[in-house]
Amino acid sequence: MKKKIGTMFGTLLLASFLLAACGETEKVKNAAAPAQGTVTPGGELVWALAGTITNDSLDAHKAGFAPTTRVMRSLYDSLIVELPDHTFQPWLATSWELSPDKKSYTFHLRKDVKFHDGTPFNAEAVKFNFDRIVDPATKASSSLNEMGPYQSTDVIDEFTVKVNFKTPFAPFLSNAAKVDLGFVSPAAVKKYGDAFPQNPVGTGPFKLVKITPSSQVELEKNPDYNWGPANAKHQGPAYLDKLTVKYVDEEATRVSVLQSKQVQVADIIPPQNLVALKADKNFNVQETELLQANFTLYLNIQKAPWNDLAIRQAFRSALDIDGAVKTIYLGTSKQGWSPLSPQQFAYTPSKENAYKQDVAKANQTLDAAGWVKGADGYRAKDGKRLTVEVIDTQGNREKRLDLIAVFTQQLKQVGIELKVISLPSGTYTDRRNKGDYDLIAGSQFSGDPDVLRQLYSTKGPSKQNNIAKTNDPKLDDLLEQGYLETDPEKRKEIYKQAQEYIIDNVYGIPTYVFNYSVASTKDVHGITFDSPAWPVFYDAWIQK
C-alpha cells in the first residue's frame, strides 16, 4: 500500500532501517541567530572554499573529495532529503514504497522537474543515472559504494521507477539523500562525454556559469527552480542571484578574506580563529559534526613489517593521539576512538580509552622484532631503516599535515621515521591503487556505517584495493551482514563487532572527530546543512 512521506512511511522506514537512534542526531552548534526582517533576494555571495576542486571535476558520480562534494550540493538534487534525526522527506520523489522482500524501492517522481539544459527529469533519467554509476566505464567514486548490491532499474511509467537490489540494502535511503547519488542530465553526459565533469548539468537551484581551473567556480540561480526539498524554508528559485566559490586552500588567507569582507562565507575555520570569530559581533559561526569515517591512519598491512599485528600495535603505542589533537585543534576537536564519528548511526563507545601511548612497550616490541636503534635514533634491520612513507595529495586541509608533523616527532621517540610524500592527484591515485605506500591517511564522509565496507572489505567496490589493504574474511562477513540486516538492534550489534574488530587488529588508527564549520558575515542568513553536513545555499540570502 502506498504511504506518503511524513506519515506512516517515514515511521516504517525509521523502524525498518535503523537510520535513527535515540540521542544520535546531528548537532549544529553556535548557529547564526534567527534572521531579522524580511528576506531580501538578489546579490552575489562569495564563498572561500577550504580546498581545490580536484581536476575541476563536478561530476556527481565521479567526485570523491569533500571540497568538490560541498560545491556539488548546489548543482544536483536528490530523490529524498534526510533530516538531522535521520528521517526522510520528499524531494524529487514525492513518495515511495519498499517491496515485501525488501529488495526493491518504487519511487513516484515529481512531474515538473527539468535539468539545467531544459530536458525533463523522469524515470528514464533515474535509470540512466543509476546504471551509469555501476558501469565500470564511468569509474565512479563514492557513489559506487552507495549503490551497494544494485541490480537494475525498471521504468514503470514516465514518473514511476523501481530500483532493484540483489539483496536487501539497508543504507539505500540514506545514500539516496546524498549528493553522490544526485542526478546528472543524460543529454549533457552524451553531449560532453569525458568533458562532462567540467560541464556539469543537474536539476539544482544553481547552475554553472564558468569554471576557472584551479581558481573558482561561478554559479547562478536556476530561474525555473521550483522543487526544493520538503525541509526548505521556501519554494521557487534561490534567493541569491549568484554563488561564486573561490578556492582558498591556505587557512590564514581564508580567514583574512572573510574578515576583510572580500568574501561573505568561509568554511573549515582553523581552531585558532574560531573563538575570535564567535566573539565578534560582525560574524556568525555554525558548526556541525560531519557524519563520516573519521580521519584515520591506514598502515599498508600487505607490506612488511606492517603485516605483523605486533608491529602495528607498537606504531599505535608510540602515538599520543589525544595530546596531538589537543595541540593542533586547541579543544575544537576531540580524539576519535572508532572508525565512525560519534553521531553516526551504530557508533559504539566500547573502544574509547581502550589504548594509550606506551613508548616503553613500543620500544620493547621493536627491539624484540630485531629493529635496532642507530646513532641517529632511527631503527634499522638488515640494513633497511624503519621508514614509513605516507602519501598525500590534499595538503594541510583540516590541519592534517600539522597533526602528522606531531605524530612524526612522537614516532621518532621509538625510532620510526615518518615521511610525508606530497603528490599530484593522478600520481597519488596511481600509487594508492597499486598499494605503493607504507601508510595512507584519509576520511570518508557518509551518512551510514556501510561506509566501512568501502574502506575495509574485499567485497566492497574497492575489492582488494580497499584503502586499509585488509583481506580478512571475518571482517568481510561482518560488513556484508551490516547492509543486509534491517532489524535495528541487530544491525547495531553487527557494526559494534566490526568497529571493535578493526581497532583490535589495528586495521586503522582513528585520529580526530571533525566538526565542519562555516563562518559568515552578519548580513548573511539562511545557510543550512544537508546530510552528512555540507552547506546548502538554497535558502541563503543577504540582508540589504
Side-chain angles (χ1 to χ4, degrees):
M1 182 177 70
K2 184 173 179 179
K3 301 174 179 68
K4 293 296 181 180
I5 308 310
T7 56
M8 291 178 64
F9 190 71
T11 304
L12 172 62
L13 291 181
L14 180 62
S16 297
F17 289 98
L18 266 168
L19 294 173
C22 182
E24 294 184 321
T25 56
E26 183 182 80
K27 297 178 181 178
V28 179
K29 301 174 291 183
N30 302 306
Q36 300 297 315
T38 305
V39 172
T40 51
E44 176 185 10
L45 188 147
V46 183
W47 170 18
L49 177 74
T52 300
I53 294 180
T54 308
N55 297 329
D56 299 295
S57 173
L58 287 168
D59 187 326
H61 305 152
K62 293 184 179 183
F65 285 138
T68 308
T69 311
R70 296 200 292 273
V71 175
M72 292 194 311
R73 182 75 282 179
S74 293
L75 289 166
Y76 300 109
D77 294 330
S78 300
L79 280 175
I80 55 178
V81 60
E82 182 172 359
L83 303 186
D85 64 358
H86 302 300
T87 56
F88 304 95
Q89 289 191 11
W91 197 343
L92 297 184
T94 58
S95 62
W96 60 91
E97 302 96 50
L98 176 64
S99 63
D101 65 3
K102 300 180 182 178
K103 295 182 182 180
S104 299
Y105 297 81
T106 299
F107 292 94
H108 304 273
L109 308 177
R110 292 186 65 123
K111 300 178 181 180
D112 59 345
V113 179
K114 292 186 182 299
F115 288 101
H116 300 151
D117 57 9
T119 58
F121 169 79
N122 52 26
E124 290 285 359
V126 174
K127 176 177 173 59
F128 175 91
N129 274 256
F130 289 166
D131 287 349
R132 178 179 188 250
I133 291 169
V134 300
D135 183 348
T138 302
K139 297 181 181 178
S141 182
S142 301
S143 58
L144 182 60
N145 187 69
E146 288 163 4
M147 290 305 295
Y150 174 79
Q151 184 173 53
S152 63
T153 296
D154 301 327
V155 175
I156 307 302
D157 60 39
E158 187 176 4
F159 297 108
T160 308
V161 64
K162 184 180 180 184
V163 184
N164 307 303
F165 295 90
K166 298 170 187 174
T167 64
F169 185 48
F172 182 60
L173 288 182
S174 181
N175 293 344
K178 295 202 292 290
V179 70
D180 309 79
L181 298 189
F183 293 96
V184 303
S185 163
V189 170
K190 293 169 185 174
K191 175 181 177 181
Y192 293 110
D194 291 341
F196 178 80
Q198 291 79 46
N199 297 274
V201 178
T203 65
F206 295 91
K207 59 184 181 178
L208 181 69
V209 175
K210 181 182 179 182
I211 294 177
T212 303
S214 304
S215 177
Q216 66 181 30
V217 175
E218 297 171 55
L219 307 176
E220 65 182 3
K221 75 176 177 182
N222 176 3
D224 300 322
Y225 195 80
N226 195 31
W227 45 84
N231 65 334
K233 304 301 182 187
H234 82 290
Q235 289 298 309
Y239 293 132
L240 300 169
D241 288 334
K242 189 172 182 181
L243 175 63
T244 298
V245 186
K246 293 184 177 293
Y247 309 158
V248 188
D249 278 320
E250 210 284 316
E251 57 184 26
T253 303
R254 206 158 56 249
V255 173
S256 175
V257 295
L258 176 68
Q259 291 176 324
S260 61
K261 309 218 175 148
Q262 297 174 61
V263 304
Q264 295 108 318
V265 175
D267 68 345
I268 309 187
I269 305 302
Q272 64 270 25
N273 299 107
L274 268 176
V275 173
L277 284 174
K278 288 176 184 177
D280 191 329
K281 64 180 181 180
N282 295 306
F283 299 95
N284 296 318
V285 176
Q286 296 169 268
E287 293 179 272
T288 183
E289 180 186 304
L290 178 61
L291 303 182
Q292 66 169 347
N294 290 322
F295 182 67
T296 295
L297 309 180
Y298 302 96
L299 288 163
N300 187 344
I301 66 173
Q302 301 297 324
K303 292 181 67 174
W306 313 111
N307 56 348
D308 184 336
L309 173 58
I311 302 299
R312 297 199 300 274
Q313 289 172 329
F315 183 97
R316 186 174 66 186
S317 292
L319 301 176
D320 175 10
I321 298 173
D322 182 55
V325 169
K326 286 177 179 175
T327 296
I328 299 302
Y329 299 104
L330 306 176
T332 63
S333 291
K334 60 183 179 181
Q335 179 176 355
W337 292 97
S338 164
L340 300 176
S341 57
Q343 298 301 322
Q344 184 77 274
F345 169 76
Y347 170 82
T348 178
S350 60
K351 287 298 176 180
E352 292 180 2
N353 302 304
Y355 53 88
K356 61 181 180 179
Q357 185 183 39
D358 191 334
V359 173
K361 184 177 180 181
N363 277 316
Q364 183 180 20
T365 299
L366 294 170
D367 286 341
W371 290 94
V372 179
K373 274 190 178 180
D376 59 1
Y378 291 113
R379 294 180 181 272
K381 183 178 181 180
D382 299 328
K384 183 179 179 181
R385 179 181 282 191
L386 187 53
T387 297
V388 178
E389 288 190 351
V390 52
I391 61 172
D392 176 74
T393 191
Q394 295 194 58
N396 202 28
R397 184 166 67 89
E398 298 172 22
K399 301 184 80 68
R400 292 174 174 183
L401 293 187
D402 291 345
L403 184 68
I404 289 174
V406 176
F407 291 154
T408 300
Q409 296 304 311
Q410 293 175 352
L411 289 163
K412 187 175 182 180
Q413 296 179 62
V414 301
I416 298 175
E417 180 184 37
L418 184 66
K419 296 171 63 177
V420 175
I421 309 298
S422 297
L423 301 169
S425 175
T427 307
Y428 169 88
T429 300
D430 184 58
R431 286 190 59 174
R432 172 177 162 173
N433 289 340
K434 291 179 179 177
D436 183 16
Y437 59 87
D438 300 306
L439 186 150
I440 203 165
S443 60
Q444 183 59 58
F445 51 89
S446 178
D448 191 272
D450 183 57
V451 66
L452 299 179
R453 195 167 50 89
Q454 178 180 350
L455 302 173
Y456 295 93
S457 174
T458 63
K459 294 183 178 180
S462 305
K463 306 295 184 186
Q464 303 286 346
N465 237 0
N466 65 70
I467 190 171
K469 292 300 177 188
T470 49
N471 187 353
D472 189 320
K474 180 176 179 180
L475 184 55
D476 282 357
D477 184 58
L478 281 171
L479 297 178
E480 292 295 294
Q481 290 178 44
Y483 81 72
L484 290 168
E485 182 56 65
T486 59
D487 177 89
E489 295 308 313
K490 289 180 181 178
R491 194 163 188 244
K492 272 188 179 180
E493 179 57 30
I494 290 167
Y495 283 115
K496 176 178 182 292
Q497 292 179 43
Q499 291 167 78
E500 292 173 346
Y501 193 76
I502 288 166
I503 296 302
D504 289 345
N505 287 278
V506 199
Y507 287 152
I509 305 172
T511 59
Y512 65 95
V513 176
F514 179 55
N515 287 324
Y516 179 67
S517 57
V518 170
S520 58
T521 54
K522 207 71 176 181
D523 56 349
V524 174
H525 305 281
I527 297 173
T528 58
F529 297 95
D530 76 347
S531 177
W534 300 146
V536 177
F537 294 96
Y538 174 51
D539 287 319
W541 57 282
I542 303 170
Q543 192 163 3
K544 298 174 183 178

